Amino acid sequence: MVTAAATGPLAGTRVIDLSTILAGPLACQILGDYGADVIKVEHPLKGDGMRGHGPSKDGVPLWWKEISRNKRTIALNIKDPEGAKVLLDLIATADVLVENFRPGTLEKWGLGPSVLHARNPRLVIARVTGFGQTGPYAQRAGFGTLIEAMSGFAYLTGPADGPPTLPAFGLADSICGVATTSAITMALLHRERTGQGQVIDIDLLSPLTTAVGPGPTAYQQLGIVETRHGNRSTNNAPRNTYQTRDGHWVAVSSSAQSIAERVMRLVGHPELIDEPWFASGRGRAAHADDIDAHVGGWIRERDRDEVIRAFTDAGAAVAPVYSARDLVEDEHVRSTGMLTEVEDDDLGSVLMHNVMWRMSASPGSIRFTGRRLGADTQDVLADLGYDAERVADLRSRQVIA
């Protein structure tokens, strides 16, 4: 049940979520976490595809509970002309619309930006696609897997003698989702200054290519194309994962020169620090075989807890390689509230990621979890002035549910 009042920096901002798997829904989740009144629009018969993603318990989709938290949900067929009219009535009350249909789809339904802005000139429209609204690839399917391949991420990921490696999660979509929230808040700030809404054209490819790094610049300037190095880096060493005596794995990083020196003193090989090549990250990376032999050998003779304690005491950088279970049980994660338990009508108490960042004056919050299909249709349409007779008529024709 939706009971808690919205607070946070976006309280009073209404967001219409027309998007599906995954970038758009994540962006709207974040906006909702920080106070926005997010109204999720789903097809009356099919529902949203996110309801079928990930594990479920007794038929209840678990990912949905998080990705659709803080969102009221209405079941509305916007392809139907009557459904499109309902959406336009809703748009008149909104500040933001997020959609991720293929370019031209909203226009085909008579709901393109010009129509939406005619109804609400202050509306911020975020259009999330794989490759953008224009260009040779605009009409291609833009799933995150394809973007992870094209961005350079897969090319650089995996063993040197193995195939390019894709992530086991929605990396491209997730990075784009966070980027979309930034774009929307910028557009809202612009609107506050000018009174004008606008269209945001954001694609999955651009944020991930940025995250992968300056490869295009290095190619253009130097003709260099980086290749796969497994867990190693071409920029520093030691940088790898190492197995401990009790069968766990830890990750070591030494981006800073001082950290690299502390690691080598800790593992009993301070003589390497005096080598000329040790003075730069690239130099150390060129001698990664020798460095890894020393660091890996030292770690392999000790249990994980001892390794973590010794590195911490030495001021060196190390972290355990965690599974989801390890993350849940970690004392820092628990004590800082990175994960939190939220009451849910279907599952009781549900553990999920907390809001992404802490704000001292206007913090975010999780007011409720993902809702059942059409749970708020009646209330939302009543707020728009639809009487019971009209709602019943729309429901009888499966325009709403």
Side-chain angles (χ1 to χ4, degrees), residues 165-249:
T165 302
L166 295 166
F169 57 95
L171 177 64
D173 279 271
S174 297
I175 291 178
C176 182
V178 177
T180 300
T181 65
S182 179
I184 289 170
T185 52
M186 289 180 189
L188 289 172
L189 180 60
H190 171 82
R191 191 188 68 175
E192 288 304 304
R193 292 172 174 170
T194 67
Q196 298 175 340
Q198 63 180 296
V199 177
I200 299 166
D201 177 5
I202 184 166
D203 59 85
L204 271 65
L205 187 57
S206 296
L208 188 54
T209 57
T210 300
V212 169
T217 304
Y219 173 70
Q220 186 260 343
Q221 292 289 316
L222 302 171
I224 293 174
V225 176
E226 295 283 2
T227 56
R228 291 181 292 284
H229 301 280
N231 290 321
R232 287 179 175 176
S233 169
T234 58
N235 296 314
N236 63 80
R239 196 269 195 179
N240 213 329
T241 57
Y242 308 90
Q243 192 169 28
T244 61
R245 181 171 59 189
D246 53 352
H248 295 289
W249 290 86

Side-chain angles (χ1 to χ4, degrees), residues 49 179 229 245 266 299 357 374 400:
H229 301 280
R245 181 171 59 189
L266 174 64
I299 290 174
W357 50 82
I400 64 172

Side-chain angles (χ1 to χ4, degrees), residues 90-326:
L90 194 55
I91 288 297
T93 71
D95 300 284
V96 179
L97 171 74
V98 179
E99 64 97 357
N100 67 340
F101 299 108
R102 285 199 192 188
T105 301
L106 281 185
E107 287 83 349
K108 180 177 64 177
W109 296 337
L111 293 168
S114 61
V115 176
L116 300 178
H117 277 147
R119 192 64 182 270
N120 182 352
R122 290 171 55 82
L123 184 69
V124 171
I125 305 170
R127 312 194 78 174
V128 185
T129 57
F131 300 101
Q133 296 293 315
T134 61
Y137 301 161
Q139 292 300 321
R140 288 189 181 184
F143 297 113
T145 298
L146 313 184
I147 303 307
E148 288 143 11
M150 290 182 64
S151 65
F153 173 86
Y155 189 84
L156 292 174
T157 305
D161 57 353
T165 302
L166 295 166
F169 57 95
L171 177 64
D173 279 271
S174 297
I175 291 178
C176 182
V178 177
T180 300
T181 65
S182 179
I184 289 170
T185 52
M186 289 180 189
L188 289 172
L189 180 60
H190 171 82
R191 191 188 68 175
E192 288 304 304
R193 292 172 174 170
T194 67
Q196 298 175 340
Q198 63 180 296
V199 177
I200 299 166
D201 177 5
I202 184 166
D203 59 85
L204 271 65
L205 187 57
S206 296
L208 188 54
T209 57
T210 300
V212 169
T217 304
Y219 173 70
Q220 186 260 343
Q221 292 289 316
L222 302 171
I224 293 174
V225 176
E226 295 283 2
T227 56
R228 291 181 292 284
H229 301 280
N231 290 321
R232 287 179 175 176
S233 169
T234 58
N235 296 314
N236 63 80
R239 196 269 195 179
N240 213 329
T241 57
Y242 308 90
Q243 192 169 28
T244 61
R245 181 171 59 189
D246 53 352
H248 295 289
W249 290 86
V250 297
V252 173
S253 177
S254 59
S255 297
Q257 178 72 20
S258 60
I259 299 295
E261 294 176 4
R262 291 170 192 169
V263 172
M264 299 319 298
R265 291 191 185 99
L266 174 64
V267 302
H269 289 277
E271 73 279 2
L272 293 186
I273 298 172
D274 297 325
E275 295 289 342
W277 50 262
F278 198 89
S280 71
R282 299 287 284 197
R284 295 195 304 274
H287 293 79
D289 286 344
D290 291 338
I291 291 175
D292 274 352
H294 295 316
V295 176
W298 186 89
I299 290 174
R300 193 163 46 246
E301 295 174 352
R302 291 161 176 82
D303 291 345
R304 182 178 68 179
D305 288 350
E306 181 184 353
V307 171
I308 298 293
R309 185 165 54 250
F311 266 73
T312 302
D313 290 345
V318 69
V321 176
Y322 272 175
S323 67
R325 177 178 60 193
D326 297 322

